[in-house]
Amino acid sequence: MEKIKVKQMSLEEAKKLGIDNWGRWSCGVSKFDWEYDETETCYIFEGEVIVTTPIETITINEGMLVTFPKGLKCTWDVKRPINKAYTFQDII
């Protein structure tokens, strides 16, 4: 099983990747299970979430570029409301 890829990135750097043309998603404080049918890369504008998979637990927050591999099953524990841009590509 592939791990989640995480990279710290400024908003200016992320804009060079084209995040202004990506989809947008937001979520309030909550906890839920999720499965990625496709590889997804997202840039976190604000918020904090703890993502737990069978092999790792990662804290993700603003200023991070994150890639979730296709087929990943995980639990999202949103601690602060999330606002992100996303694309179904592996950018990292």
Side-chain angles (χ1 to χ4, degrees), residues 39-53:
T39 296
E40 178 184 314
T41 297
C42 62
Y43 181 78
I44 309 298
F45 294 107
E46 60 186 350
E48 179 181 358
V49 60
I50 298 171
V51 178
T52 302
T53 76

Side-chain angles (χ1 to χ4, degrees), residues 48-67:
E48 179 181 358
V49 60
I50 298 171
V51 178
T52 302
T53 76
I55 60 171
E56 63 185 334
T57 298
I58 294 180
T59 300
I60 299 167
N61 48 44
E62 57 269 340
M64 290 184 165
L65 187 72
V66 184
T67 297

Side-chain angles (χ1 to χ4, degrees), residues 4-86:
I4 298 168
K5 299 178 198 172
V6 179
K7 181 178 182 182
Q8 200 68 39
M9 182 173 285
S10 71
L11 181 57
E12 287 130 8
E13 289 175 295
K15 284 182 177 278
K16 291 177 185 174
L17 297 175
I19 63 168
D20 290 334
N21 298 315
W22 296 2
R24 293 302 269 276
W25 184 80
S26 59
C27 175
V29 173
S30 57
K31 187 172 185 177
F32 56 91
D33 294 329
W34 193 253
E35 182 174 353
Y36 288 88
D37 295 330
E38 297 182 54
T39 296
E40 178 184 314
T41 297
C42 62
Y43 181 78
I44 309 298
F45 294 107
E46 60 186 350
E48 179 181 358
V49 60
I50 298 171
V51 178
T52 302
T53 76
I55 60 171
E56 63 185 334
T57 298
I58 294 180
T59 300
I60 299 167
N61 48 44
E62 57 269 340
M64 290 184 165
L65 187 72
V66 184
T67 297
F68 299 96
K70 179 179 179 177
L72 178 75
K73 294 179 182 179
C74 60
T75 300
W76 274 53
D77 187 359
V78 181
K79 299 298 187 182
R80 287 185 290 124
I82 292 288
N83 181 12
K84 71 175 188 177
Y86 68 92

